[in-house]
Amino acid sequence: MLKIYTVLCRAGYMDNYSYILLDEASGASAVVDPSENKPVIEKLRELGIKPDYILNTHHHFDHTDGNLELKELFGAQIVGNRLDSRRIPGIDIGVNPGETFSLGRSVAEIIDVSAHTQGHILYYFRQDKALFTGDTLFNLCIGGLFEGTEEEMFAALQKIKNLPDDVLFYPGHEYTLHGADFAFRYNGGNENIRAYLEQAQARIRQGLPAGPVPLGVEKACNPYLQAANLAEFKSLF
Ligand code: ZN
Ligand code: FE
């Protein structure tokens, strides 16, 4: 079993999420997208975890700033897309989309979703029904197109739509309330999204992440996943 702990970073201005992963069977551990060190290290110390790996979804600083210090402190090996090796600080293990990466007995499939950046990847733990989406899919919205086209983002999102509804997704930022207005309007006040929002707001008020949300719910509420074809998708921009 894969244990997942959420760490809020850059709170109140960028609201990044880093995630600490523990493969209980083997004790192997990792940090997904260490955005900044202080909160990540505090949580690692609280849990008594020394991460073996860092898993980066893409090169942006708000996902990789912790790389080098965590590597130095814990000897963690940095994993990222081989194709983006030159931009991922301290990369040790280059993975290729279509391959897998094993965290102990928990296996992540590497999925290319180049659009937010070229070389952005997802880590999909099929057995554990967990998907780390970085800056590609957020709650009720998606990441900006810094290095890709609307066509590429649409294609990337189709890969996510094809995954099972009961997979939980873990985004790189807490942007639920940013996306909510637009999603609500797009959906004409449908009940799914009202329930989604109420739950998210209640959790955020308690200082908890809105998610993780099952992909099935996201597919029914996120306009960028609801868009049935490229033309409809493009009309959202
Ligand atoms: Zn980014
Ligand atoms: Fe980001």
Side-chain angles (χ1 to χ4, degrees):
M1 271 295 288
L2 187 67
K3 272 270 202 187
I4 301 169
Y5 303 91
T6 302
V7 184
L8 181 64
C9 296
R10 301 175 193 269
Y13 60 111
M14 294 183 83
D15 295 325
N16 281 82
Y17 283 132
S18 299
Y19 298 98
I20 296 171
L21 311 187
L22 176 64
D23 173 59
E24 291 185 302
S26 66
S29 58
V31 178
V32 177
D33 283 354
S35 175
E36 60 169 343
N37 275 317
K38 203 169 165 284
V40 171
I41 291 170
E42 273 173 21
K43 188 70 180 175
L44 286 167
R45 295 234 153 98
E46 180 195 318
L47 295 167
I49 290 176
K50 292 183 178 165
D52 301 302
Y53 301 100
I54 290 161
L55 309 181
N56 289 137
T57 60
H58 66 296
H59 73 91
H60 281 159
F61 76 95
D62 61 314
H63 300 255
T64 58
D65 249 15
N67 277 16
L68 297 180
E69 195 181 341
L70 292 182
K71 181 171 174 168
E72 194 175 308
L73 270 177
F74 301 110
Q77 290 195 288
I78 297 168
V79 180
N81 191 341
R82 186 188 304 275
L83 298 168
D84 211 6
S85 300
R86 290 189 7 230
R87 301 194 294 183
I88 294 184
I91 190 168
D92 296 296
I93 301 173
V95 290
N96 295 310
E99 295 178 354
T100 58
F101 174 79
S102 294
L103 177 66
R105 290 194 215 150
S106 299
V107 178
E109 296 170 29
I110 309 300
I111 302 173
D112 173 63
V113 287
S114 292
H116 173 74
T117 63
Q118 291 302 315
H120 192 312
I121 53 176
L122 310 181
Y123 294 87
Y124 172 39
F125 291 86
R126 185 184 290 271
Q127 276 296 323
D128 294 280
K129 299 193 173 296
L131 176 70
F132 295 89
T133 59
D135 282 0
T136 295
L137 180 66
F138 302 127
N139 299 91
L140 301 178
C141 55
I142 57 169
L145 296 171
F146 286 87
E147 300 173 8
T149 62
E150 291 167 6
E151 283 78 2
E152 285 173 308
M153 183 55 97
F154 183 71
L157 295 176
Q158 299 320 296
K159 295 180 187 176
I160 295 177
K161 273 171 94 164
N162 288 335
L163 301 179
D165 285 352
D166 59 350
V167 170
L168 299 178
F169 82 98
Y170 296 81
H173 293 264
E174 178 53 71
Y175 284 166
T176 313
L177 303 181
H178 293 264
D181 270 357
F182 178 60
F184 200 64
R185 268 184 283 127
Y186 183 84
N187 280 278
N190 96 24
E191 282 307 310
N192 288 328
I193 193 161
R194 191 181 296 278
Y196 187 126
L197 253 183
E198 278 170 7
Q199 206 183 327
Q201 281 165 335
R203 287 179 59 84
I204 291 168
R205 263 200 306 276
Q206 294 172 65
L208 298 168
V213 166
L215 283 181
V217 172
E218 199 62 29
K219 291 175 200 175
C221 295
N222 186 321
Y224 299 91
L225 293 181
Q226 288 172 284
N229 53 55
L230 182 60
E232 225 172 272
F233 182 73
K234 283 184 163 183
S235 76
L236 299 173
F237 288 83

